[in-house]
């Protein structure tokens, strides 16, 4: 009996070793690839049918894009277009999630976030970056340029390259290198108390401003009372009478719902605005050359998409505002420019404007 049990245990051990060796020698079938946007059957899934979570899960790189604007407005749609193009051009390997309406903080916070890394991307008009240099203050000075074309010509040359270098020196890389992403197309001022049609109409009006000294000084010289108010607080400030007027684009004015509380809108064209799509420099430098090109192409193509849609969006904004009982007026921008020319010369003489700009614009 003892010998039989011993032989039985020996047989079990031998069989166990055989099965173990067989298992070690067997290769497992490879798992289906989940890179890009492929399905478990290896077929390419249509990105338009994928949820944001699915896209993010399938991407190799995810990035956060912060913006001040609402998601369903004209600019918000253009920013989402950029994110969609990045995903498309990178074949699903880079996913950008858009955070609208200052969800990632106010303008200053988001710039710092993008430099330090909590968010990878930020988009806003160039004047937001005047914290780095006065080179970005040209579009904070009301009525400095006689026409928008004068501005676009000026930034298309060496001055524009100088601005881009300043951004890089501060940890940010400009993606829309064509330098043609317009915010607008027209600037307006909505005033609760009265229409604004001439410089005299500005006297005593409490104007919403952001923290931009030259912008505030310009309107103070025209007789207005500038008051710093966060963009996200403007609706309530108009409603409660904290401010009389707010300036923005016609499209953003309508998107923000200001027409519900402000029935006088004047086309003032105080300055042109250029949007800057920026990425954290360290994040950018870790991308391959091909990935960098995806990001640049997506930004430039999103700018074209946005610019092409401006006229239609402007017409729709006007119709929306008129439906809310808003009346549209024209402001005498030529008169405002003439009244401020001595101020522009003062700024240049103090080294606060590029040397020779006043002569170039015909003010000397």
């Amino acid at each position: 009996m003892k010998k039989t049990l011993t032989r039985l245990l020996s047989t079990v051990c031998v069989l166990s070793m055989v099965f173990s060796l067989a298992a070690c020698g067997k290769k497992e079938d490879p798992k289906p690839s989940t890179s890009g946007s492929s399905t478990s059957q290896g077929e390419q899934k249509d990105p338009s049918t994928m949820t944001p979570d699915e896209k993010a899960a399938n991407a190799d790189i995810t990035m956060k894009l912060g913006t001040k604007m609402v998601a369903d407005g004209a600019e918000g749609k253009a920013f989402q277009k950029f994110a969609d193009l990045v995903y498309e051009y990178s074949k699903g390997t880079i996913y950008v999630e858009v955070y609208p309406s200052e969800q990632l903080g106010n303008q200053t916070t988001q710039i710092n976030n993008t430099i330090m890394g909590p968010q990878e991307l930020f988009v806003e008009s160039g004047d937001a970056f005047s914290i780095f240099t006065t080179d970005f203050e040209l579009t904070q000075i009301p009525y400095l340029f006689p026409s928008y074309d004068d501005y676009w010509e000026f930034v298309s040359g060496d001055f524009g390259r100088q601005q881009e270098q300043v951004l890089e020196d501060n940890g940010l890389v400009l993606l829309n290198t064509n330098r043609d992403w317009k915010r607008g197309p027209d600037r307006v001022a909505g005033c609760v108390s009265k229409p604004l049609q001439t410089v005299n109409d500005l006297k005593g009006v409490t104007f919403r401003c952001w923290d931009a000294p030259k912008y505030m000084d310009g309107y103070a010289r025209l007789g207005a009372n500038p008051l710093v108010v966060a963009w996200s607080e403007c609706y309530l400030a108009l409603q409660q009478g904290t401010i009389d007027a707010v300036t923005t684009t016609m499209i953003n004015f309508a998107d923000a719902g200001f027409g519900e509380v402000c029935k006088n809108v004047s086309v003032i064209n105080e300055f042109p605005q250029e949007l800057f799509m920026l990425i954290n420099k360290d994040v950018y430098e870790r991308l391959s050359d091909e990935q960098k090109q995806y990001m640049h192409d997506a930004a430039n193509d999103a700018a074209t998409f946005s610019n092409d849609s401006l006229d239609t969006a402007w017409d729709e904004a006007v119709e929306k505002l008129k439906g809310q009982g808003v009346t549209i007026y024209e402001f005498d921008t030529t008169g405002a420019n003439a009244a401020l020319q001595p101020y522009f010369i003062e700024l240049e003489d103090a080294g606060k404007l590029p040397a020779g700009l006043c002569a170039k614009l015909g003010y000397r």
Side-chain angles (χ1 to χ4, degrees):
M1 180 70 178
K2 185 175 180 181
K3 289 181 179 180
T4 301
L5 181 58
T6 301
R7 284 197 297 270
L8 180 59
L9 290 173
S10 298
T11 302
V12 170
C13 289
V14 169
L15 290 173
S16 177
M17 290 175 65
V18 169
F19 289 138
S20 178
L21 288 170
C24 290
K26 183 181 178 181
K27 294 183 179 179
E28 294 185 357
D29 293 333
K31 294 181 179 180
S33 172
T34 58
S35 64
S37 55
S38 59
T39 65
S40 59
Q41 288 75 35
E43 297 175 353
Q44 194 74 10
K45 187 173 181 181
D46 182 358
S48 66
T49 67
M50 298 174 69
T51 67
D53 286 343
E54 286 177 324
K55 290 182 178 181
N58 279 281
D60 297 327
I61 300 170
T62 60
M63 299 184 187
K64 295 187 290 292
L65 167 61
T67 170
K68 298 193 307 184
M69 299 306 168
V70 296
D72 59 354
E75 285 191 21
K77 292 175 182 177
F79 302 150
Q80 185 58 52
K81 180 69 172 179
F82 164 75
D84 292 342
L85 289 174
V86 169
Y87 193 81
E88 176 187 343
Y89 294 167
S90 71
K91 298 178 176 60
T93 61
I94 304 176
Y95 175 72
V96 173
E97 184 171 3
V98 182
Y99 290 80
S101 303
E102 295 187 330
Q103 290 180 15
L104 300 181
N106 62 24
Q107 176 175 290
T108 301
T109 298
Q110 292 201 58
I111 292 173
N112 289 332
N113 283 347
T114 309
I115 294 170
M116 301 303 295
Q119 72 187 73
E120 291 79 14
L121 298 155
F122 178 60
V123 58
E124 187 46 45
S125 58
D127 58 274
F129 308 102
S130 60
I131 57 175
F132 302 135
T133 174
T134 56
D135 286 351
F136 288 102
E137 292 183 350
L138 298 184
T139 53
Q140 288 187 346
I141 305 172
Y143 311 106
L144 172 62
F145 290 93
S147 73
Y148 284 5
D149 287 343
D150 290 307
Y151 169 79
W152 294 108
E153 179 184 350
F154 191 64
V155 299
S156 65
D158 291 341
F159 184 78
R161 306 295 82 73
Q162 181 178 320
Q163 288 180 313
E164 292 168 33
Q165 187 59 56
V166 168
L167 291 171
E168 286 204 36
D169 291 343
N170 285 278
L172 299 167
V173 175
L174 180 69
L175 292 176
N176 52 308
T177 49
N178 287 350
R179 296 298 298 267
D180 62 351
W181 198 332
K182 301 175 183 178
R183 168 175 279 173
D186 297 314
R187 295 282 299 178
V188 302
C191 186
V192 174
S193 56
K194 61 181 178 179
L196 303 177
Q197 296 176 278
T198 69
V199 171
N200 287 334
D201 294 330
L202 297 175
K203 299 186 185 304
V205 173
T206 301
F207 247 67
R208 178 264 171 178
C209 293
W210 57 100
D211 189 12
K214 294 185 179 66
Y215 184 80
M216 297 173 72
D217 288 348
Y219 272 108
R221 297 238 180 173
L222 296 176
N225 299 320
L227 179 66
V228 175
V229 176
W231 172 255
S232 57
E233 298 172 6
C234 286
Y235 185 99
L236 187 60
L238 287 168
Q239 189 177 51
Q240 295 181 342
T242 305
I243 55 175
D244 300 311
V246 62
T247 60
T248 182
T249 68
M250 184 75 79
I251 297 166
N252 287 340
F253 190 93
D255 287 343
F258 293 155
E260 298 168 358
V261 293
C262 185
K263 304 303 180 182
N264 306 296
V265 173
S266 301
V267 179
I268 59 172
N269 287 338
E270 55 186 348
F271 50 68
Q273 286 187 279
E274 177 186 3
L275 288 170
F276 285 62
M277 179 69 73
L278 298 168
I279 185 171
N280 172 280
K281 185 177 180 180
D282 290 337
V283 171
Y284 178 81
E285 290 181 343
R286 288 197 296 269
L287 298 175
S288 68
D289 289 344
E290 188 177 30
Q291 290 171 330
K292 290 174 183 176
Q293 195 60 52
Y294 295 150
M295 302 297 290
H296 286 297
D297 289 346
N300 287 322
D301 290 349
T304 300
F305 167 84
S306 180
N307 293 342
D308 288 347
S309 67
L310 285 180
D311 288 341
T312 299
W314 193 92
D315 291 339
E316 291 173 352
V318 168
E319 289 305 309
K320 177 180 179 179
L321 291 171
K322 287 182 177 179
Q324 294 173 330
V326 172
T327 302
I328 311 295
Y329 300 90
E330 292 290 331
F331 180 77
D332 179 16
T333 58
T334 302
N337 172 271
L340 286 174
Q341 286 182 19
Y343 175 55
F344 305 148
I345 294 171
E346 273 182 45
L347 290 174
E348 186 176 316
D349 288 345
K352 297 179 180 180
L353 281 179
L357 179 59
C358 285
K360 181 177 178 63
L361 297 176
Y363 303 154
R364 291 185 186 271

